[in-house]
Each structure stands twice: as structure tokens, then as C-alpha cells.
Amino acid sequence: MALNDDIKLFAQVPLFQGFSEDQLRLIAFGAERRRVSEGHMLFRQHSPAECAFVVCHGSFDLWTEDRDGTREIQATVGSGCLLSELALFTLCERKFTAVARQDSEVIRITRILFHRMIEEFPDVAQVVTERIRGNIAALASSAAAMQKRFL
């Protein structure tokens, strides 16, 4: 894929919406493409997350494994999905194991690259902060709506 195709893909990712073309270009130029064959693992639950992945094409099952080894698929994601978004901001661990459902391709974005973009474009930090606040508010609202179920 061409750099411009990557920029168009990033522009569709919710976290990156509203970023300028120059900002998206910096991410696209510094990111790395990876192919993942069907049935192969992209990352494992509980492993350290130092990067995020944007799915270019294909799809991934996201599953969890509990202490007794029981696996459960939590979601299936496809093109345009950003996996491990929190890893762009801070050291964290993977919440799922991601396994390719078919031959797939992802773009790997490191935390270092994302922080570099914030240093070069400080206005991005404000956009991202507002987006995170909105996500937390929506999560709190959803949790409050479900509270009656547990009383």
C-alpha cells in the first residue's frame, strides 16, 4: 500500500479523526506494516503492550483465557480497528489475545512514534485528551445505566 492509502485508513480510525494530513503522514511514515497468517497470533493476553496496531485488511478474533485455561472469544475485529490504543499513551498489558481469522495485515504504531507526534504537534495532545474524556464519560454513563441491574 502507498503512504497515502495508510493516511486515508488512519483518518477513519476514531482516535485519529480530526488529525491533519501532516500529522497522519508522520504516523504513516514512521509506522511498520506486518503480515499475519491465518491462525497466527498478533499478540498474547497479559503481555506488555509497547505499541498499537491498526488492522489494514483481514480480521482478528480477540479472546481471553481464564486461570483454568478456558478461552472465550470477546470480539472479532476488522479493517480500520485500532488494537491496544492505550499502549500509545502508557505502559500497559494486553487485555486480549489477537489471532488472525484469515491472512491479514496490520500497521504497527509504537508509543515512541506517537509521543514524537505529540511533541511535534502539541495540539494533538488536546484533541486526544478531549477524546479520552468523552470516552470515559460515555463509559461512566453506561455503567450508571446498568447499576439498577445489580441492586
Side-chain angles (χ1 to χ4, degrees), residues 3-4 7-8 38 57 59 62 76 85 90 104 112-113 120 126 131 133 149-150:
L3 191 65
N4 286 335
I7 291 169
K8 287 178 187 174
E38 178 180 352
H57 66 78
S59 59
L62 304 179
T76 299
E85 177 179 306
T90 188
S104 301
I112 291 169
L113 173 61
E120 290 191 28
Q126 183 63 33
R131 197 151 294 140
R133 280 190 185 127
R149 291 179 164 180
F150 301 104

mmCIF file of all heavy atoms in Angstrom, residues 3-4 7-8 38 57 59 62 76 85 90 104 112-113 120 126 131 133 149-150:
data_model
loop_
_atom_site.group_PDB
_atom_site.id
_atom_site.type_symbol
_atom_site.label_atom_id
_atom_site.label_comp_id
_atom_site.label_asym_id
_atom_site.label_seq_id
_atom_site.Cartn_x
_atom_site.Cartn_y
_atom_site.Cartn_z
ATOM 1 N N LEU A 3 1.752 5.250 0.910
ATOM 2 C CA LEU A 3 1.660 6.079 2.100
ATOM 3 C C LEU A 3 0.305 6.792 2.163
ATOM 4 O O LEU A 3 -0.308 6.882 3.232
ATOM 5 C CB LEU A 3 2.811 7.084 2.100
ATOM 6 C CG LEU A 3 3.054 7.873 3.370
ATOM 7 C CD1 LEU A 3 3.493 6.953 4.498
ATOM 8 C CD2 LEU A 3 4.093 8.939 3.130
ATOM 9 N N ASN A 4 -0.185 7.258 1.035
ATOM 10 C CA ASN A 4 -1.473 7.958 1.013
ATOM 11 C C ASN A 4 -2.626 7.044 1.398
ATOM 12 O O ASN A 4 -3.603 7.490 2.008
ATOM 13 C CB ASN A 4 -1.723 8.597 -0.361
ATOM 14 C CG ASN A 4 -0.855 9.822 -0.563
ATOM 15 O OD1 ASN A 4 -0.436 10.469 0.392
ATOM 16 N ND2 ASN A 4 -0.560 10.121 -1.813
ATOM 17 N N ILE A 7 -2.615 6.890 5.131
ATOM 18 C CA ILE A 7 -3.153 8.128 5.684
ATOM 19 C C ILE A 7 -4.681 8.095 5.635
ATOM 20 O O ILE A 7 -5.352 8.455 6.614
ATOM 21 C CB ILE A 7 -2.589 9.351 4.928
ATOM 22 C CG1 ILE A 7 -1.096 9.489 5.235
ATOM 23 C CG2 ILE A 7 -3.345 10.628 5.302
ATOM 24 C CD1 ILE A 7 -0.369 10.482 4.344
ATOM 25 N N LYS A 8 -5.250 7.636 4.537
ATOM 26 C CA LYS A 8 -6.714 7.529 4.414
ATOM 27 C C LYS A 8 -7.273 6.551 5.446
ATOM 28 O O LYS A 8 -8.313 6.802 6.047
ATOM 29 C CB LYS A 8 -7.103 7.089 3.008
ATOM 30 C CG LYS A 8 -6.935 8.162 1.976
ATOM 31 C CD LYS A 8 -7.295 7.639 0.602
ATOM 32 C CE LYS A 8 -6.954 8.666 -0.454
ATOM 33 N NZ LYS A 8 -7.159 8.143 -1.805
ATOM 34 N N GLU A 38 -3.216 -16.574 8.636
ATOM 35 C CA GLU A 38 -4.395 -17.153 9.285
ATOM 36 C C GLU A 38 -3.969 -18.097 10.403
ATOM 37 O O GLU A 38 -3.072 -18.929 10.239
ATOM 38 C CB GLU A 38 -5.220 -17.920 8.257
ATOM 39 C CG GLU A 38 -6.439 -18.596 8.830
ATOM 40 C CD GLU A 38 -7.234 -19.362 7.775
ATOM 41 O OE1 GLU A 38 -6.930 -19.252 6.582
ATOM 42 O OE2 GLU A 38 -8.155 -20.083 8.189
ATOM 43 N N HIS A 57 -6.245 -4.946 6.559
ATOM 44 C CA HIS A 57 -7.213 -5.862 5.952
ATOM 45 C C HIS A 57 -7.127 -7.201 6.659
ATOM 46 O O HIS A 57 -6.154 -7.506 7.335
ATOM 47 C CB HIS A 57 -7.015 -5.979 4.434
ATOM 48 C CG HIS A 57 -5.726 -6.623 4.030
ATOM 49 N ND1 HIS A 57 -5.515 -7.974 4.060
ATOM 50 C CD2 HIS A 57 -4.571 -6.089 3.581
ATOM 51 C CE1 HIS A 57 -4.292 -8.239 3.650
ATOM 52 N NE2 HIS A 57 -3.702 -7.120 3.360
ATOM 53 N N SER A 59 -9.035 -9.955 9.427
ATOM 54 C CA SER A 59 -9.752 -9.827 10.699
ATOM 55 C C SER A 59 -9.061 -10.652 11.768
ATOM 56 O O SER A 59 -8.288 -11.572 11.468
ATOM 57 C CB SER A 59 -11.208 -10.266 10.551
ATOM 58 O OG SER A 59 -11.287 -11.605 10.128
ATOM 59 N N LEU A 62 -10.461 -11.710 19.054
ATOM 60 C CA LEU A 62 -9.895 -11.265 20.325
ATOM 61 C C LEU A 62 -10.478 -12.152 21.399
ATOM 62 O O LEU A 62 -11.685 -12.168 21.608
ATOM 63 C CB LEU A 62 -10.252 -9.802 20.594
ATOM 64 C CG LEU A 62 -9.851 -8.800 19.514
ATOM 65 C CD1 LEU A 62 -10.282 -7.397 19.916
ATOM 66 C CD2 LEU A 62 -8.359 -8.852 19.245
ATOM 67 N N THR A 76 -14.651 -9.988 17.338
ATOM 68 C CA THR A 76 -13.922 -10.148 16.082
ATOM 69 C C THR A 76 -13.851 -8.765 15.460
ATOM 70 O O THR A 76 -14.861 -8.061 15.381
ATOM 71 C CB THR A 76 -14.640 -11.131 15.137
ATOM 72 O OG1 THR A 76 -14.715 -12.413 15.782
ATOM 73 C CG2 THR A 76 -13.889 -11.278 13.828
ATOM 74 N N GLU A 85 -5.047 0.582 21.919
ATOM 75 C CA GLU A 85 -4.971 2.045 21.870
ATOM 76 C C GLU A 85 -4.241 2.621 23.083
ATOM 77 O O GLU A 85 -3.429 3.539 22.958
ATOM 78 C CB GLU A 85 -6.394 2.581 21.801
ATOM 79 C CG GLU A 85 -6.542 4.060 21.811
ATOM 80 C CD GLU A 85 -8.006 4.468 21.724
ATOM 81 O OE1 GLU A 85 -8.712 4.030 20.805
ATOM 82 O OE2 GLU A 85 -8.426 5.252 22.590
ATOM 83 N N THR A 90 0.731 4.887 27.475
ATOM 84 C CA THR A 90 1.408 4.442 28.694
ATOM 85 C C THR A 90 1.712 2.948 28.633
ATOM 86 O O THR A 90 1.129 2.220 27.825
ATOM 87 C CB THR A 90 0.530 4.751 29.931
ATOM 88 O OG1 THR A 90 1.280 4.487 31.117
ATOM 89 C CG2 THR A 90 -0.742 3.924 29.927
ATOM 90 N N SER A 104 -3.957 -11.631 7.149
ATOM 91 C CA SER A 104 -4.294 -10.251 7.489
ATOM 92 C C SER A 104 -3.040 -9.392 7.455
ATOM 93 O O SER A 104 -1.918 -9.898 7.399
ATOM 94 C CB SER A 104 -4.921 -10.186 8.887
ATOM 95 O OG SER A 104 -6.094 -10.967 8.951
ATOM 96 N N ILE A 112 6.624 5.337 21.144
ATOM 97 C CA ILE A 112 7.656 6.343 20.881
ATOM 98 C C ILE A 112 7.261 7.214 19.687
ATOM 99 O O ILE A 112 7.388 8.440 19.731
ATOM 100 C CB ILE A 112 9.023 5.664 20.643
ATOM 101 C CG1 ILE A 112 9.520 5.038 21.949
ATOM 102 C CG2 ILE A 112 10.042 6.643 20.083
ATOM 103 C CD1 ILE A 112 10.722 4.133 21.793
ATOM 104 N N LEU A 113 6.758 6.590 18.630
ATOM 105 C CA LEU A 113 6.323 7.341 17.454
ATOM 106 C C LEU A 113 5.159 8.269 17.809
ATOM 107 O O LEU A 113 5.142 9.438 17.414
ATOM 108 C CB LEU A 113 5.908 6.384 16.335
ATOM 109 C CG LEU A 113 5.262 7.011 15.099
ATOM 110 C CD1 LEU A 113 6.222 7.986 14.416
ATOM 111 C CD2 LEU A 113 4.835 5.911 14.131
ATOM 112 N N GLU A 120 5.861 17.094 18.258
ATOM 113 C CA GLU A 120 5.922 17.938 17.062
ATOM 114 C C GLU A 120 4.632 18.693 16.810
ATOM 115 O O GLU A 120 4.637 19.751 16.180
ATOM 116 C CB GLU A 120 6.286 17.095 15.843
ATOM 117 C CG GLU A 120 7.724 16.605 15.888
ATOM 118 C CD GLU A 120 8.195 15.987 14.591
ATOM 119 O OE1 GLU A 120 7.691 16.369 13.512
ATOM 120 O OE2 GLU A 120 9.082 15.122 14.658
ATOM 121 N N GLN A 126 -4.205 17.882 22.954
ATOM 122 C CA GLN A 126 -5.508 18.423 23.372
ATOM 123 C C GLN A 126 -6.648 17.642 22.736
ATOM 124 O O GLN A 126 -7.628 17.305 23.398
ATOM 125 C CB GLN A 126 -5.613 19.908 23.014
ATOM 126 C CG GLN A 126 -6.892 20.549 23.482
ATOM 127 C CD GLN A 126 -7.021 20.538 25.001
ATOM 128 O OE1 GLN A 126 -6.044 20.630 25.727
ATOM 129 N NE2 GLN A 126 -8.240 20.409 25.486
ATOM 130 N N ARG A 131 -10.906 13.539 23.487
ATOM 131 C CA ARG A 131 -11.484 12.277 23.033
ATOM 132 C C ARG A 131 -11.516 11.258 24.175
ATOM 133 O O ARG A 131 -12.507 10.555 24.362
ATOM 134 C CB ARG A 131 -10.669 11.748 21.854
ATOM 135 C CG ARG A 131 -11.412 10.703 21.097
ATOM 136 C CD ARG A 131 -11.045 10.638 19.647
ATOM 137 N NE ARG A 131 -11.439 11.844 18.957
ATOM 138 C CZ ARG A 131 -10.701 12.452 18.026
ATOM 139 N NH1 ARG A 131 -9.542 11.967 17.691
ATOM 140 N NH2 ARG A 131 -11.124 13.529 17.435
ATOM 141 N N ARG A 133 -11.559 11.938 27.407
ATOM 142 C CA ARG A 133 -12.579 12.402 28.371
ATOM 143 C C ARG A 133 -13.976 11.987 27.914
ATOM 144 O O ARG A 133 -14.797 11.548 28.713
ATOM 145 C CB ARG A 133 -12.518 13.917 28.529
ATOM 146 C CG ARG A 133 -11.448 14.383 29.438
ATOM 147 C CD ARG A 133 -11.594 15.870 29.742
ATOM 148 N NE ARG A 133 -10.467 16.303 30.536
ATOM 149 C CZ ARG A 133 -9.686 17.326 30.242
ATOM 150 N NH1 ARG A 133 -9.935 18.067 29.191
ATOM 151 N NH2 ARG A 133 -8.676 17.635 31.012
ATOM 152 N N ARG A 149 -29.434 -3.007 37.493
ATOM 153 C CA ARG A 149 -29.401 -4.470 37.333
ATOM 154 C C ARG A 149 -28.774 -5.168 38.527
ATOM 155 O O ARG A 149 -29.041 -6.324 38.789
ATOM 156 C CB ARG A 149 -28.590 -4.863 36.104
ATOM 157 C CG ARG A 149 -29.214 -4.500 34.804
ATOM 158 C CD ARG A 149 -28.282 -4.924 33.717
ATOM 159 N NE ARG A 149 -28.922 -4.963 32.439
ATOM 160 C CZ ARG A 149 -28.315 -5.297 31.331
ATOM 161 N NH1 ARG A 149 -27.046 -5.620 31.336
ATOM 162 N NH2 ARG A 149 -28.984 -5.307 30.204
ATOM 163 N N PHE A 150 -27.897 -4.459 39.232
ATOM 164 C CA PHE A 150 -27.113 -5.089 40.302
ATOM 165 C C PHE A 150 -27.603 -4.733 41.686
ATOM 166 O O PHE A 150 -26.974 -5.085 42.679
ATOM 167 C CB PHE A 150 -25.634 -4.725 40.128
ATOM 168 C CG PHE A 150 -25.082 -5.164 38.802
ATOM 169 C CD1 PHE A 150 -24.865 -4.255 37.783
ATOM 170 C CD2 PHE A 150 -24.801 -6.503 38.568
ATOM 171 C CE1 PHE A 150 -24.364 -4.648 36.560
ATOM 172 C CE2 PHE A 150 -24.308 -6.910 37.350
ATOM 173 C CZ PHE A 150 -24.079 -5.985 36.334
#
